[in-house]
Amino acid sequence: MSHIILFDGECNFCNQTVLFILKRDRQKHFKFASIQSEIGQELFMNYDIPKTVDSVILIEGNRYFTKSTAVLRICKNLDRLWKMFYFFIIIPAPIRDIAYNFVAKKRYLLGKKNACIIPKKEDLDRFLS
């Protein structure tokens, strides 16, 4: 089953993260949509995600995860050693989210975009539209 990652399509750091995941997800667990896209907004409504959430969102089945929990659950499905990061799930989320929030606050230092990334031809089917 594919999982859906919602990301900030205006954030250079977030776009680079999507490219990072694409390279390390050879089993194609994940599909992607920007939060700003029509499908992203539809998923927000369907999953009753608060509009105030602007972090990475991982949708698995009928549940969604945000912040460090989403990142660690993504790592669990990546290739090779990246799976090991899932071990940090044992740390309580409020403590993990301190580091996540620090990075999230600084993410626009790498710049903002007016458009989402343009995926390679072989990855087009992984982006929801």
Side-chain angles (χ1 to χ4, degrees):
M1 178 175 113
S2 289
H3 308 302
I4 301 169
I5 297 174
L6 295 175
F7 65 97
D8 181 351
E10 297 175 347
C11 167
N12 281 335
F13 178 78
C14 304
N15 281 284
Q16 291 303 313
T17 301
V18 169
L19 294 174
F20 177 89
I21 293 167
L22 281 168
K23 287 182 183 177
R24 288 153 185 86
D25 179 26
R26 285 186 248 145
Q27 298 297 315
K28 298 187 176 189
H29 292 284
F30 302 109
K31 294 204 180 274
F32 303 89
S34 78
I35 292 171
Q36 295 83 1
S37 69
E38 194 174 309
I39 188 81
Q41 290 300 301
E42 192 176 305
L43 289 165
F44 258 74
M45 286 178 24
N46 292 346
Y47 285 86
D48 202 24
I49 300 169
K51 292 284 184 194
T52 56
V53 175
D54 69 345
S55 66
V56 65
I57 301 162
L58 173 65
I59 297 173
E60 292 180 340
N62 61 355
R63 297 180 64 196
Y64 73 89
F65 304 92
T66 62
K67 298 188 176 190
S68 65
T69 303
V71 170
L72 293 175
R73 292 180 75 87
I74 290 167
C75 286
K76 181 173 77 168
N77 289 294
L78 296 181
D79 300 335
R80 299 193 177 131
L81 296 177
W82 294 103
K83 294 176 185 298
M84 291 179 12
F85 282 96
Y86 187 69
F87 171 79
F88 291 106
I89 202 80
I90 66 170
I91 298 170
I95 295 170
R96 291 191 324 258
D97 285 345
I98 291 170
Y100 180 91
N101 290 335
F102 177 79
V103 172
K105 284 180 186 173
K106 307 287 185 192
R107 73 183 193 251
Y108 287 128
L109 290 177
L110 293 175
K112 284 181 97 174
K113 298 181 105 163
N114 290 332
C116 293
I117 58 173
I118 299 173
K120 293 180 182 176
K121 208 177 214 180
E122 63 267 17
D123 294 325
L124 279 175
D125 63 330
R126 302 191 55 200
F127 286 81
L128 304 175
S129 57

